[in-house]
Amino acid sequence: MLKLALAFLCLALVADAALIRVPLTKPNKRRSIKNLSTQRAVLRSKYSTNFVVSSEQLNNFLDDSYYGPITIGTPPQNFQVLFDTGSSNLWVPGASCAPTDSACQDHNTYNASASSTYQANGERFAIQYGSGNLAGYLVEDIVNLNGLAIEAQVFAVATSEPGNTFVNSEFDGILGMAYQKIAVDNVVPPFYNLYKQGLIETPVFAFYLTRNGSSTQGGEMTLGGIDSSHYVGELTYVPVSIEGYWQFTMDSVIINGLNICVECAGIADTGTSLLAVPTSIYESVQNAIGAQSDGEGDYMVDCSLTNTLPIVTFNIGGTAFNLSSAEYIVEVEANNGSVLCMSAFEDADTNLWILGDVFIGQYYTVFDMGQNRVGFALAAQNSTTGGSSIGSSSYIFGIIVPIVVGFYGLWLNKN
């Protein structure tokens, strides 16, 4: 029996080792209202109703993004990338970008000639943004995520970045984590290769985002499993309705007793900072929460009234996920330096609800590519009861099984 206990203990260690943790960082500053027009332009290019598979749409919200470290090449070249579940390509700036390209020059760049594992691809690469094209070319090299070395990963090297979209971003590039179907040039996304190359045991990843974290403690992304200490209660799973973005169907959205939508299409997107609303009901949502237009495309509320605004309820998979006004009203800095209170709901310019970091920060979110489903549970930081210590395979095998087998072995020896 002792051998059996030891065997399970070995399995526990293997399972726990298979859960890869990537610490996330976020800018430690308030959003600037002057950047909101850029955010809207990028969001609309990302989820345009004229979406074509061959044109990439990525996202960058300048003042509230969650990003983490990767390395590329041999010896390793360091980058900070936004892990974006709303896109499917990896790209970083290239050393050959133009000296006049501020976004490129102010970030870490990839130097192919400095990597012994670099392989040429030769194919051109372009992404359409609201303010222009991000252009470059495809290459192949080793990409390392927290010790997981992906061999022969194809990614894009940007030689031209559009306008001011990425000038002020805290990260260098973007690592897309959606389905391959929306990848430019049908490039295999890094997460696919993590699983195909046996670097993770299960094709599952999850995000825990700290809403009040510091610039160095923005949360955590886990690869190959979930961490049940990051959420409270049970996960609610819903099937992916269209494999491209992480799209699913919400039962309804209710504000102040008013049913805003029924059987609505939603997308979980870590690359979107706020909450995007279908164009057809955008003004209805703002009216329902009591926000007023400032005439420049943003909706504001009196900061003194924030605590009196209604709860917004997202009914998903038979479970109610509530957002209070403290969560869907965000403070922004006006051009004159004053602080304003802005509605986190924005026009998606499409018929989709985009649940960005405002939602994911409150609800731990699991992306299960193996079973094509998305899961949500209250993030542990938002509950006074604390997180459960069991729930994921890593914790079941790492904690419960060794204890149970150990006591069972003692019982056999005693009897």
Side-chain angles (χ1 to χ4, degrees):
M1 198 63 211
L2 179 59
K3 291 183 178 179
L4 180 59
L6 290 174
F8 273 109
L9 179 58
C10 289
L11 285 174
L13 294 174
V14 171
D16 190 56
L19 186 65
I20 306 302
R21 303 173 187 275
V22 179
L24 300 177
T25 304
K26 77 185 190 79
N28 191 20
K29 59 185 179 182
R30 183 177 286 115
R31 293 180 182 88
S32 171
I33 198 168
K34 66 183 179 181
N35 290 324
L36 295 177
S37 61
T38 299
Q39 297 176 13
R40 282 192 291 268
V42 176
L43 175 70
R44 291 173 184 178
S45 68
K46 183 175 184 177
Y47 293 107
S48 169
T49 54
N50 296 320
F51 169 68
V52 179
V53 172
S54 62
S55 64
E56 172 68 352
Q57 299 122 25
L58 297 180
N59 189 17
N60 165 42
F61 282 115
L62 303 175
D63 293 325
D64 198 5
S65 49
Y66 293 80
Y67 50 92
I70 66 170
T71 65
I72 301 176
T74 308
Q77 300 176 36
N78 297 309
F79 298 92
Q80 294 287 336
V81 295
L82 184 148
F83 297 104
D84 180 19
T85 61
S87 67
S88 301
N89 286 85
L90 167 61
W91 68 262
V92 294
S96 59
C97 61
T100 56
D101 192 326
S102 299
C104 184
Q105 294 295 333
D106 293 342
H107 291 86
N108 294 328
T109 58
Y110 172 74
N111 186 348
S113 63
S115 174
S116 62
T117 46
Y118 155 77
Q119 294 292 325
N121 179 286
E123 186 170 347
R124 302 299 298 174
F125 181 88
I127 300 170
Q128 178 64 46
Y129 284 102
S131 55
N133 289 319
L134 182 148
Y137 55 92
L138 296 179
V139 301
E140 186 178 299
D141 209 335
I142 292 175
V143 174
N144 194 303
L145 278 76
N146 205 25
L148 303 181
I150 306 172
E151 301 284 345
Q153 175 64 51
V154 176
F155 62 96
V157 176
T159 56
S160 174
E161 298 184 47
N164 295 319
T165 304
F166 296 102
V167 170
N168 298 317
S169 69
E170 302 283 342
F171 49 87
D172 304 306
I174 291 178
L175 193 154
M177 303 189 72
Y179 286 86
Q180 185 177 354
K181 180 179 178 181
I182 63 170
V184 173
D185 301 322
N186 200 36
V187 171
V188 178
F191 185 73
Y192 279 61
N193 282 329
L194 278 174
Y195 183 61
K196 289 179 179 178
Q197 295 180 20
L199 300 174
I200 55 176
E201 291 186 356
T202 56
V204 174
F205 60 92
F207 280 86
Y208 170 73
L209 306 182
T210 59
R211 296 307 287 168
N212 298 311
S214 68
S215 60
T216 57
Q217 294 178 328
E220 183 177 81
M221 174 183 67
T222 56
L223 301 169
I226 62 177
D227 184 344
S228 57
S229 68
H230 284 328
Y231 66 88
V232 178
E234 299 294 327
L235 283 159
T236 296
Y237 285 100
V238 286
V240 170
S241 55
I242 298 177
E243 294 179 21
Y245 303 111
W246 287 92
Q247 184 172 332
F248 55 92
T249 300
M250 298 188 293
D251 303 329
S252 63
V253 177
I254 298 175
I255 305 177
N256 209 20
L258 178 65
N259 202 333
I260 297 295
C261 76
V262 177
E263 296 294 309
C264 7
I267 290 174
D269 183 4
T270 58
T272 291
S273 178
L274 305 178
L275 289 160
V277 176
T279 300
S280 60
I281 59 173
Y282 174 62
E283 290 191 9
S284 298
V285 170
Q286 302 292 11
N287 291 336
I289 65 171
Q292 301 293 322
S293 173
D294 66 354
E296 298 182 4
D298 302 308
Y299 279 74
M300 303 293 177
V301 299
D302 185 330
C303 291
S304 65
L305 302 177
T306 298
N307 293 332
T308 67
L309 303 181
I311 296 290
V312 177
T313 300
F314 297 82
N315 291 304
I316 303 171
T319 301
F321 297 91
N322 294 326
L323 288 183
S324 70
S325 56
E327 292 149 3
Y328 67 75
I329 298 297
V330 297
E331 291 186 346
V332 294
E333 185 175 310
N335 296 335
N336 61 7
S338 63
V339 176
L340 304 174
C341 290
M342 185 191 77
S343 165
F345 294 100
E346 57 185 338
D347 187 353
D349 198 31
T350 182
N351 61 347
L352 301 169
W353 285 77
I354 315 299
L355 305 188
D357 297 337
V358 167
F359 184 89
I360 296 172
Q362 301 303 319
Y363 294 102
Y364 185 72
T365 304
V366 178
F367 301 84
D368 186 342
M369 194 167 284
Q371 299 189 55
N372 291 316
R373 61 181 184 171
V374 185
F376 303 99
L378 180 66
Q381 65 182 18
N382 298 313
S383 171
T384 57
T385 60
S388 169
S389 62
I390 61 174
S392 70
S393 59
S394 296
Y395 283 86
I396 291 173
F397 282 100
I399 297 176
I400 294 180
V401 171
I403 293 174
V404 171
V405 171
F407 278 115
Y408 184 54
L410 289 174
W411 181 84
L412 283 179
N413 290 335
K414 189 174 181 179
N415 292 277

